[in-house]
Amino acid sequence: MEQAFERDGAAEGVASEAADALADDELAAEDAELPEDRFADRELSWLAFNERVLELAEDPDLPLLERCRFAAIFASNLDEFFMVRVAGLKRRIATGIAVTAASGLTPRQVLEAISVRAHELMERHASLYRDELVPALEEQGIAFAHWEGLGQQEQDRLHKYFRRQIFPVLTPLAVDPAHPFPYISGLSLNLAVVVRNPTTEKEHFARVKVPQSLPRFVVVESVGADGDLDPLAPVRLIALEELIAAHLHYLFPGMEVVEHHTFRVTRNEDLEVEEDDAENLLKALEKELLRRRFGPPVRLELAPDMSPLVRRLLIRELGVVEAEVYQLPAPLDLTGLNVVADLDRPDLQYPRFAGRTPRALAEVESASPTDFFAALRERDILLHHPYDSFSTSVQQFLAQAAADPNVLAIKQTLYRTSGNSPIIDALIDAAQAGKQVLAIVEIKARFDEQANISWARKLERAGVHVVYGIVGLKTHCKLSLVVRQEAGGLRRYCHVGTGNYNPKTARLYEDLGLLTCNPDVGQDLTRLFNQLSGYAPKSRFHRLLVAPRSIRSSLVERIEREIEHHRAGKEAWIHLKVNSIVDEQTIDALYRASQAGVPVGIVVRGICAVKAGVPGLSENITVRSILGRFLEHSRIYSFANGGDPEYFIGSADLMHRNLDRRVEVLVRLTDPDHIAFLGHLMEVQLADTTSSWHLEHDDGEQAWVRHSRDEEGELLLDVQSWLIARRSGRPGASGVAGRSGR
């Protein structure tokens, strides 16, 4: 199957001098021995990333409601980490197939270290909410109310709301010989309730699930002295579980409520689907989605005031061990802080920003909307979202292709998209207009499986040819191909991106994309789509690197080439921007480059197994991490190439899954303006004058240290704010070095 991605073509090789140099025994002997402890642990590195998110929530320089949002993101990130990474680690230990990690830690050592760090971070997160966010919100007129502190009229209003909107949804579940302990769904918030029969004095346990379909926090309507609502009063919110707890006597009439406590369970929600050519992947995945709901628990969160009896009952019935129990102050599940972050308080949020239409598209003279095909015949267009609008670029490109009678075919990969997606609508419109439309839908995109199944069926019903990729490989590349009949024959228009075709996340994720009608790229995409939908094992590519066959080997060859250029006295450097870097073979090549004296700059958002600044190993490796308003999601791979810089953008991170188990694409840029822009962008992101986290080596330990102010206490450059200002054309937007680049 992987042979379908056989390495070949001009873009997948490098200059023959590099190949000759690699065969030179004398030079190869100069490579120093690499130490065994050269890799940071993947799971602990992810926790360090989420700690950086927490540091943003702790930052008093950020708008208050944005701090709340980062606190919610921290909680959501940790939920997914437990559902997938911790659950997978436990499953491998239980089945006896776990192996020692590249970091040298055994699976049990990793699990123990995760437990220690996760407890520390969750307690720190809870303290941030209680000691900093709540008081700061109250100062700004946003308060968290408690039932006993409300006035009678306010309680009466909430009582009516409970009876009308909440009570009909609730289902109390008793536990007794006739009612076994109920199944507790993953990530649901629950009330553990102990009630007493006043006649028999016997106590009983019951569970009440807090409905996920209702708002996490309910607005308390303030009442003035005259009994009317006060629209100028501060905003007050009460947690949904607290409102339910105040009305438990409605759920258990005739019983005395002795105690009630909140708890929350996280379960294994990773998917295991066995694929083979005979199996219908769609049906197999739907069956596995049902199983996901009943995965074993991996974390139990408890309120601190829970009685020992109820605590023991939950631990026993849920089958967790003490290390998996996290006792935290109420309220549990702070992902609900998104409700607070969304309040209409512009003074406490980032200034509003909407991406603009790229200049190259807006400049085309036409009485009708921009003619994308005419624009692309003039020049390639490099997009930088969200600074460049996704809706007026990529989305409009596909909509125009669907409506154009001269377009004969549209081919598209879909990994994640949104509800009511205009991308899906455009493909359906094209198919209904009689065009050939192919959609490569990745239905195994984690946590989007159900949505992707729905879209796949909707597309099929509309006449779109839907393919689920290649057995054993996820299709993660971001590609669009439009075939158009023109006076001189067929012309192919292409989009290659680093982000999903999702209009919603495109406003929040930083991504790059290339729009082009370059014949080489068009031919490459045609061949790749043929591989994905049919059989084309001997395809050659001109400007693409394609995983799983060639990305790793081609990047390693280019790293080795930089070593040889450095030794020959030519310009040599390596700059990478990725979401995660874990792949040992690539990291070892970067270590060898550092040992040879080649400067290596890495910008990584999440997991980083590289160790920076280690004497004799990585003194020449600089690692930065940038987190902020937008999620840094683009991937850039760039090399000095002896003074003729080579830049790639694409979908692939430096992880085993991307390089070995996914179809990924990197495209080489050729426009000098695009190369200059990305070169400047990387310089700014790596600069000491830019606000970022530095991976530092101190006394044998690696640590992420935030650098947000200079020695005089002045704020360093926020690269995202700089890019917003630059895109908006505001004064001073030229930023560091002031080069336009595009």
Side-chain angles (χ1 to χ4, degrees), residues 353 386 390 502-509 630:
F353 167 75
F390 181 86
N502 187 324
K504 290 184 178 178
T505 59
R507 294 193 291 268
L508 303 172
Y509 285 25
F630 307 124

Side-chain angles (χ1 to χ4, degrees), residues 349-386:
Q349 296 162 329
Y350 287 126
R352 298 191 186 280
F353 167 75
R356 296 194 175 186
T357 302
R359 188 179 304 114
L361 292 174
E363 284 177 352
V364 176
E365 294 184 5
S366 174
S368 59
T370 299
D371 183 339
F372 275 70
F373 305 117
L376 293 179
R377 288 193 295 272
E378 289 291 324
R379 62 173 76 84
D380 288 357
I381 298 173
L382 181 66
L383 304 170
H384 194 197
H385 309 299

Side-chain angles (χ1 to χ4, degrees), residues 109-162:
Q109 287 175 322
V110 174
L111 205 56
E112 290 169 3
I114 287 172
S115 179
V116 172
R117 287 294 289 134
H119 274 90
E120 293 172 352
L121 291 175
M122 290 176 69
E123 289 167 6
R124 180 170 149 191
H125 182 237
S127 297
L128 167 69
Y129 169 79
R130 181 187 63 237
D131 301 335
E132 295 187 40
L133 295 182
V134 168
L137 287 166
E138 288 180 351
E139 289 180 7
Q140 295 296 332
I142 302 170
F144 292 94
H146 299 286
W147 181 259
E148 61 275 8
L150 298 177
Q152 186 61 50
Q153 288 181 312
E154 293 161 337
Q155 288 188 352
D156 289 344
R157 286 182 176 275
L158 286 173
H159 170 69
K160 290 177 183 178
Y161 176 79
F162 173 83

Side-chain angles (χ1 to χ4, degrees), residues 702-713:
Q702 294 278 301
W704 287 98
V705 179
R706 191 176 185 197
H707 292 254
S708 59
R709 293 180 179 272
D710 61 20
E711 294 179 355
E712 285 74 40

